Amino acid sequence: MSEKDDSKVRLDKWIWAARFFKTRALAKAAIEGGKVHCRGERCKPSKEPKVGDELVIRSGDDERTVQVLLLSGVRRGAPEAQTLYQETAESVAKRELAVAQRKAGALGMQTDGRPTKKQRRQIHQFRTHQDD
């Protein structure tokens, strides 16, 4: 790719090249599903990111806030892909805390399975009294 082509790259292609998603189709679906925000707003796959833009990318349980450092539409090895962006310190700390909580089981609710008939009646009764 020439220097001129690198200045105009689609967001879905850049996210794929930066290795946030395995395929470009997954990157496009994530953007269309509202899992990627550019400058605090939802965006389209055809948006052209600029150097210095801040992106919030949600993938599974992880949410990363990254700053665009370089533009590229070519997918290369992971070490080269990591040079395209820099994750903010707050994002790293938040993600590490979430990983620690998941390992400790703090986020997962433990249940005894499906509610019994009596419990379902109580839930229904509780919900109908909340509407009054």
Side-chain angles (χ1 to χ4, degrees), residues 42-103:
R42 280 182 73 163
C43 46
K44 294 183 177 181
S46 60
K47 178 168 180 49
E48 295 174 356
K50 295 175 178 55
V51 173
D53 280 357
E54 188 170 274
L55 302 173
V56 178
I57 303 167
R58 277 197 336 261
S59 175
D61 291 333
D62 291 335
E63 181 175 299
R64 296 173 187 245
T65 304
V66 299
Q67 187 173 21
V68 177
L69 299 179
L70 295 170
L71 297 176
S72 175
V74 180
R75 188 172 170 104
R76 294 199 171 97
E80 290 180 50
Q82 289 173 349
T83 62
L84 298 178
Y85 63 90
Q86 179 179 10
E87 189 170 4
T88 62
E90 299 88 30
S91 174
V92 172
K94 197 175 177 184
R95 204 163 38 87
E96 288 174 353
L97 178 65
V99 167
Q101 286 178 339
R102 276 197 303 270
K103 281 185 180 176

